Amino acid sequence: MTSFSTPTRSLPRPFSRRHALRSAAAAAAVVVAGLVPFTGALAQATDYPNKPVRIIVGFPAGTGPDIVARLLAQRLSEGWGNQGVIVDNKPGAGGLIAAGEAARAAPDGYTLMLGETGQLSIAPSSYNKLPYDPAKDFVAVSQVVTADFVLLVNPQKVPSRNVKDFVTWTQQQKGLFLATFGAGTPGHFGAFMFGDAVKLKPEPVHYKNTSDALGGLFSGDVQGVFATVGLGAPQVKAGKLAALGTTGATRSPMLPDVPTIKEQGYANLEFSSWFGIVAPARTPPEIVARLHADIVKAVQSPEGKAKMEEAGFRVTGTSPQEFARTIAADTVTWGKAVAATGFKAD
């Protein structure tokens, strides 16, 4: 096993106010990057869709983005008279391969991407060179769901059952080793946010996938991991892992008895991930508006919302403008974490 360690320091320092505002302004451009009408756009929107729509996902089957994309595809297809909606998994490079392909697709509404925090808000800071520009190559359509994280430990290896006890116990060990599902992911930088909040230096141990990371937790090679609530809750309910705290602003409906980390005295520690639909730049605004309306209808319907929540997600269904503001704000927030670690993926 190999581990990756980088220096950490207080998170707010690396970005100046001017830098933060410039980053936010650049990321906000995602909302207008593709809203340039062209002749015939309205006509295209009135009968849209009239052929199968493809949703590109940058992660393997069974992962959080894939689950959300398939649930959304099913609901959209039903709403479109069973018009085909294809989920096209293009895993690799932390979602960069998929994002590059989606950015080059025709801006006609028939190729979309289920984007996530890493691809659109973290990658601009963690990579010197990307095969796409999040602020210029995409137009925001709708944030579909939010995913909180939960700090998991192996109850057979770690005696702690809350964050404060975990911090005290960790201080008596040789170090704080936290698994991640890959370098450059929200869980990776979330580990550093946690370390900054509890005044410890984490040692992230990067695994290729979720099963390997959980394997490291079960074997005792690492002491904890930040996993999405949807992934962690079944393990907690089965008694295989213990949940010490969640990272959202409020408790997760899937783990209502688990307090947030903020509740436990760490007021500045709050982070989550999100998944949302983006389209290639210059997609007609009429089609973007139609997509947004249909997505919101799909995920806010009683059945659609219930299925998303059962999978561990909070349904959002925001407007294109709101989603673009979220991307912009998170570009700044996660950029601070990336800069504090000194991490570069390339």
Side-chain angles (χ1 to χ4, degrees), residues 99-181:
E101 179 172 332
R104 296 188 298 270
D108 56 8
Y110 289 95
T111 297
L112 310 172
M113 181 176 78
L114 195 286
E116 50 85 48
T117 307
Q119 294 163 299
L120 298 176
S121 287
I122 295 178
S125 296
S126 58
Y127 285 85
N128 290 312
K129 188 176 181 180
L130 288 172
Y132 60 95
D133 185 334
K136 294 180 180 179
D137 293 339
F138 297 107
V139 54
V141 177
S142 182
Q143 179 184 336
V144 179
V145 297
T146 297
D148 295 334
F149 290 83
V150 58
L151 177 57
L152 301 172
V153 299
N154 181 350
Q156 304 300 319
K157 304 288 184 179
V158 177
S160 311
R161 294 299 175 267
N162 61 63
V163 174
K164 287 187 177 180
D165 286 350
F166 179 66
V167 171
T168 299
W169 177 79
T170 301
Q171 290 171 337
Q172 302 168 356
Q173 309 305 307
K174 294 181 179 180
L176 172 57
F177 295 90
L178 295 177
T180 83
F181 301 143

Side-chain angles (χ1 to χ4, degrees), residues 278-293:
V278 295
R282 296 177 299 282
T283 297
E286 293 83 2
I287 289 181
V288 171
R290 170 70 189 274
L291 276 168
H292 166 253

Side-chain angles (χ1 to χ4, degrees), residues 116-118 143 145-149 186 228 247 271-275 330 334:
E116 50 85 48
T117 307
Q143 179 184 336
V145 297
T146 297
D148 295 334
F149 290 83
T228 60
T247 65
F271 64 91
S272 59
S273 184
W274 41 255
F275 307 131
D330 280 3
W334 289 103

